[in-house]
Amino acid sequence: MVKAIVAPSILASDFADLGCQCKKMYANNADWLHVDVMDGHFVPNISLGMPIISSLRKAIPKEYNEKNENIKFFDCHMMVSEPEKWVAEIAKAGGDQYTFHYESTKDPVKLIELIKSHGLKAACAIKPGTDVDVLFDLGDKLDMALVMTVEPGFGGQSFMANMMPKVEKLREKFPQLNIQVDGGLGKGTIGHAATAGANVIVAGTSCFTASNPTELIQYFKDEVNKNLKAKGCYTEN
């Protein structure tokens, strides 16, 4: 199923009011929460860890629709060295998807198998300097591919439009794969991502600071779905 998915990045939230702010995003029609985990080694920043994810899951329990899909989905973006170490912990904490960086592991196929063995969806991210071709042999094994549109590690950076050819190549090769973009997404840049074929939109600062988050999130979805339909790869079910 390929359709618009909006995943506000909680890195841009007010951590003093994290639970309430995250509930507000779901109330404003967000599909997922994007949870950035950074260890200070793979990227030069330290952020959320397993105790926070676990606490957030207690505040926002999993909730399933008639298709048995968790509609309180936690998309965990693991910007960490040795990502193999944390798969079991993320599953235990209540994560739903484990996104590792291609640059952080020597055996991505084995890691994908490990992630799925813990009941998590498996996704692989690439930094701006990594060629998209590295994902071609993994695409059929993945639930999602993430093309970073900023250098990973900090929120609030400017969108890198020159990453869009990577998205275009992935969409052409994998028409039914979730393709995520992360970094600098807002009303002024969503068109680039949507036209290229991205369907999973990570937006932190724009969502959490919006005067009307519902309107903004719907705008993202409309732009994405319009372009997916034009490419003939939009599917509702």
Side-chain angles (χ1 to χ4, degrees):
M1 179 173 64
V2 176
K3 63 179 182 179
I5 294 171
V6 177
S9 171
I10 69 174
L11 191 63
S13 70
D14 179 354
F15 287 176
D17 195 24
L18 182 59
C20 289
Q21 290 217 341
C22 290
K23 288 178 182 178
K24 179 182 176 183
M25 287 296 106
Y26 283 123
N28 282 282
N29 209 26
D31 301 284
W32 298 354
L33 287 180
H34 186 81
V35 183
D36 289 306
V37 179
M38 310 181 208
D39 63 358
H41 295 281
F42 181 71
V43 292
N45 196 9
I46 297 173
S47 71
L48 311 162
M50 269 54 78
I52 292 177
I53 297 171
S54 182
S55 295
L56 195 57
R57 179 52 82 195
K58 289 176 184 177
I60 306 174
K62 294 192 180 191
E63 182 180 330
Y64 295 90
N65 62 17
E66 66 281 357
K67 300 174 188 174
N68 201 35
E69 300 166 330
N70 176 25
I71 58 174
K72 297 295 189 291
F73 192 94
F74 287 6
D75 171 33
C76 300
H77 181 187
M78 305 300 294
M79 290 172 273
V80 298
S81 300
E82 299 181 90
E84 295 82 2
K85 284 185 175 182
W86 307 109
V87 175
E89 293 297 319
I90 287 293
K92 183 180 177 181
D96 294 289
Q97 181 162 264
Y98 194 101
T99 302
F100 67 93
H101 269 264
Y102 181 86
E103 305 88 355
S104 70
T105 183
K106 295 179 180 178
D107 194 339
V109 173
K110 187 175 180 180
L111 178 51
I112 291 167
E113 292 171 353
L114 176 64
I115 292 166
K116 292 191 174 184
S117 75
H118 282 83
L120 298 164
K121 290 186 180 295
C124 183
I126 54 171
K127 291 181 176 183
T130 300
D131 196 291
V132 71
D133 293 7
V134 302
L135 295 176
F136 290 173
D137 289 339
L138 302 178
D140 291 333
K141 303 175 181 65
L142 293 169
D143 295 290
M144 188 185 79
L146 165 56
V147 173
M148 292 299 299
T149 49
V150 295
E151 289 293 340
F154 295 91
Q157 298 181 60
S158 296
F159 176 81
M160 298 170 69
N162 59 339
M163 294 297 107
M164 292 306 96
K166 295 182 182 182
V167 176
E168 292 172 354
K169 288 181 181 180
L170 281 173
R171 180 56 70 207
E172 182 177 351
K173 192 167 182 66
F174 303 104
Q176 289 299 302
L177 180 66
N178 277 336
I179 300 174
Q180 184 177 75
V181 286
D182 178 6
L185 275 302
K187 272 196 171 182
T189 54
I190 186 62
H192 297 290
T195 300
N199 72 298
V200 186
I201 307 301
V202 176
T205 303
S206 60
C207 281
F208 279 97
T209 62
S211 58
N212 189 333
T214 300
E215 182 182 276
L216 178 67
I217 289 169
Q218 190 58 52
Y219 181 81
F220 288 162
K221 291 185 180 185
D222 290 343
E223 285 294 303
V224 168
N225 286 333
K226 177 181 68 177
N227 282 277
L228 290 173
K229 290 173 182 176
K231 292 177 182 297
C233 54
Y234 173 85
T235 51
E236 183 64 43
N237 299 310

